Amino acid sequence: MIDRLHGIARAVRMLRLPSIVVGWLSLASLVVTIFILAPHQGDRFIIPGLVGLLWAVSTYAFIVTFATVPAKPGRAPGIFSRLKQKIQRGWYWLISVIFLITTVIVIGLTVRMVSIWLREYGG
């Protein structure tokens, strides 16, 4: 699983800079909406800003985390070096499970927030 995530992260690594840009633009829109615009003017931009920020942070974290994954333990000369490799890969397994759980949560939040936004402002 982590090798597949590593391959996906390497394939989409060109999205790292766009995810940073989308994250900063989403954060800026949230700040402007909350602190500068009048309440009745900017309410409609809060949910898209939150969704954009969630996905930008999630994408960036995925690319940065899984861009480098330790190799599978091979025929290393010592038991301690093999153990070290297994512990490192185990850590990435834990991170991948946590990442997959948070992705499901972000998908659920996105569906919920977009449905609320469409109900309120979609017409």
Side-chain angles (χ1 to χ4, degrees):
M1 179 170 79
I2 61 175
D3 293 324
R4 182 173 297 225
L5 293 175
H6 172 65
I8 294 170
R10 290 184 52 88
V12 298
R13 67 177 166 227
M14 69 270 203
L15 295 177
R16 193 173 106 191
L17 183 60
S19 69
I20 292 171
V21 171
V22 168
W24 280 110
L25 288 175
S26 297
L27 183 63
S29 74
L30 282 173
V31 168
V32 166
T33 301
I34 292 171
F35 294 114
I36 296 175
L37 295 178
H40 65 280
Q41 290 176 328
D43 284 349
R44 72 175 346 169
F45 302 115
I46 290 176
I47 290 178
L50 281 173
V51 170
L53 185 62
L54 279 172
W55 281 107
V57 168
S58 182
T59 302
Y60 182 78
F62 173 76
I63 292 170
V64 169
T65 302
F66 293 104
T68 58
V69 174
K72 289 183 180 179
R75 293 280 186 209
I79 190 167
F80 290 114
S81 61
R82 284 194 308 261
L83 183 62
K84 179 183 171 187
Q85 288 175 334
K86 286 184 180 187
I87 289 172
Q88 287 174 340
R89 284 186 63 88
W91 176 249
Y92 275 90
W93 270 96
L94 178 65
I95 290 173
S96 67
V97 168
I98 291 170
F99 183 77
L100 291 174
I101 290 169
T102 58
T103 300
V104 170
I105 291 170
V106 168
I107 289 171
L109 283 172
T110 299
V111 168
R112 180 82 173 149
M113 286 194 290
V114 168
S115 69
I116 289 169
W117 187 74
L118 288 174
R119 186 175 49 233
E120 293 290 325
Y121 303 106

